[in-house]
Amino acid sequence: MRLNLLSIIGLLFLPACGSKSEQAESVGSLQGDKAFPVTWTGELLPRGPDGGTSFSIALLADSDLSGLCTAPADAGYDLPPSRFVTVSVIGPPAAGTFEVGNATGPGFVQVQQRLMDGGTQTLGVATSGSINLTTATTDRLVGSFNVQVQGRSDATTTGLSGTFDAAFCANRK
């Protein structure tokens, strides 16, 4: 089930939008062997089939992905090549500590890379650790995470931690 959920999360980064972003200022940082300088951070709240929030996601990227935050969501925005980390918790925004590594969640962290051809490659998936959300609303996710990430190419495990203050990215209604 974990791989299916990760595939669903990956679908969130299909071409989405095209007009100017209205996103408020956000910040984030990463530390560890798979870390990179974070230049853009946003909160995504994808909807389930019933219209409710199915995931609360903080996205930390090394490129400006603010095009995700524009409306309408089907305007043809092409994401730039970038590296990004998704910090996800199943369900609507809620403050608390969420364990990572269980096959069914509730927390997931993965490192991905957006390729020149528009595809996405998973570089690593967290196998243990936790996500701490100190503020979790439909307007903002603030928190931190400390996880062990297993690399997809070499299966080595390394630490990755980070912080985020992610304003809502209104790309999914």
Side-chain angles (χ1 to χ4, degrees), residues 49-97:
D50 63 355
T53 302
S54 56
F55 286 95
S56 299
I57 301 173
L59 178 66
L60 295 87
D62 69 355
S63 292
D64 181 359
L65 302 184
S66 61
L68 283 172
C69 303
T70 58
D74 61 354
Y77 173 69
D78 289 321
L79 291 167
S82 58
R83 291 175 290 176
F84 56 92
V85 171
T86 55
V87 180
S88 311
V89 175
I90 294 175
T97 299

Side-chain angles (χ1 to χ4, degrees), residues 10 13 16 37-39 47 53 63 80 85 91 101 116 118 132-134 137 151 163 170:
F13 306 105
V38 174
T39 61
R47 303 291 182 197
T53 302
S63 292
V85 171
M116 292 293 288
N132 183 32
L133 297 178
T134 56
T137 68
T163 61

Side-chain angles (χ1 to χ4, degrees), residues 29-35 60 85 109 130 144-149 158-163:
S29 67
L30 297 171
Q31 298 82 39
D33 289 344
K34 296 197 180 306
L60 295 87
V85 171
V109 176
S130 63
S144 60
F145 63 95
N146 190 351
V147 296
Q148 292 293 308
V149 175
T158 184
L160 180 67
S161 62
T163 61

Side-chain angles (χ1 to χ4, degrees), residues 17-42:
C17 313
S19 62
K20 185 167 173 55
S21 173
E22 300 284 328
Q23 185 185 15
E25 188 65 30
S26 299
V27 294
S29 67
L30 297 171
Q31 298 82 39
D33 289 344
K34 296 197 180 306
F36 50 83
V38 174
T39 61
W40 186 87
T41 306

